[in-house]
Amino acid sequence: MLRVVVLVSGGGTNLQAIIDAVAAGTITNTEIVGVISNNPEVYALERAKKAGIPNLCISPKQYESRDAFNRALLNAVDGFQADLVVLAGFLVVIPEMMIERYRNRIINIHPSLIPSFCGTGFYGLKVHEAALEKGVKVVGATVHFVDEGTDTGAIILQKAVEVQQGDTPEVLQRRVMEQAEWMILPQAIDLIANGRVEVVDGKVVIN
Ligand code: GAR
């Protein structure tokens, strides 16, 4: 069984997609062993509680320095004996010591087709605002491994979604979630849980 820890900062709809896929058996060989939030208020923590998943909040505000927060976050992940760390809308920069220890064992969902609309400052609704501002006709989502850069790690899965006339950022965000994120994030976890994802020369090969 792949032991998965999910890191969240928001509403947790991607977390819910993972919980539902494990329950439905579309993610196999996987146990969600913990959920960690950096914010005590978020609805994602409620979702974890409702699903009976151990959960906790580690907020930078509880620590005197960034370094102390980083160590606490890493300790919490270690404490769950995680095989895979899933960033499901986690808006905190992952400490380098965690990236090193969990090399090719941290994945992130990003709401664009990387390398478009990604990197520093591109998160949540801002991604969709930028896409509409540019006038692109196709957007989408990407699941990738996390390395030292921002949204630069090896790409595991991507799915395209069409922009429609009159879309607002909120409407587009919802469509990208429904048609891409909630599908490819569970799919990627299932592939990893079944040993089908390999990184060769910095690129993902699916076996
Ligand atoms: C999702 O759209 C996710 O792709 C995005 O935050 C949202 C979280 O929603 N992540 C990023 O922008 C990361 N750069 P959720 O809490 O409902 O899953």
Side-chain angles (χ1 to χ4, degrees), residues 10-15 88-89 91 108-111 122-124 173 177 181:
T13 63
N14 279 286
L15 167 65
L91 300 180
N108 179 48
I109 178 81
H110 183 75
F122 286 101
Y123 59 89
Q173 179 182 50
M177 284 175 159
E181 296 186 42

Side-chain angles (χ1 to χ4, degrees), residues 52-172:
I53 301 166
N55 59 87
L56 68 152
C57 171
I58 299 175
S59 163
K61 291 179 189 151
Q62 301 164 321
Y63 298 90
E64 59 189 15
S65 68
R66 197 67 190 185
D67 196 47
F69 165 74
N70 286 345
R71 275 186 275 118
L73 184 64
L74 184 54
N75 280 341
V77 171
D78 286 347
F80 283 120
Q81 297 181 291
D83 299 312
L84 181 71
V85 179
V86 177
L87 310 184
F90 191 58
L91 300 180
V92 170
V93 175
I94 300 299
E96 272 194 23
M97 56 185 168
M98 184 158 147
I99 294 170
E100 274 165 32
R101 188 172 307 175
Y102 289 85
R103 178 79 56 198
N104 292 340
R105 291 194 293 149
I106 309 174
I107 65 172
N108 179 48
I109 178 81
H110 183 75
S112 79
L113 293 173
I114 291 174
S116 288
F117 308 113
C118 65
T120 307
F122 286 101
Y123 59 89
L125 214 50
K126 288 178 189 294
V127 175
H128 307 289
E129 285 166 0
L132 291 176
E133 180 66 28
K134 182 68 191 171
V136 294
K137 304 302 178 208
V138 177
V139 292
T142 302
V143 183
H144 63 92
F145 283 114
V146 172
D147 66 8
E148 280 78 0
T150 306
D151 303 327
T152 52
I155 291 169
I156 304 167
L157 293 175
Q158 293 189 297
K159 192 163 186 296
V161 173
E162 281 183 18
V163 178
Q164 286 172 20
Q165 202 86 19
D167 273 350
T168 62
E170 290 80 6
V171 167
L172 186 58

Side-chain angles (χ1 to χ4, degrees), residues 30-47:
T30 296
E31 186 184 356
I32 310 171
V33 294
V35 170
I36 302 172
S37 171
N38 63 311
N39 179 339
E41 311 287 334
V42 296
Y43 190 65
L45 284 174
E46 281 307 309
R47 296 182 190 271

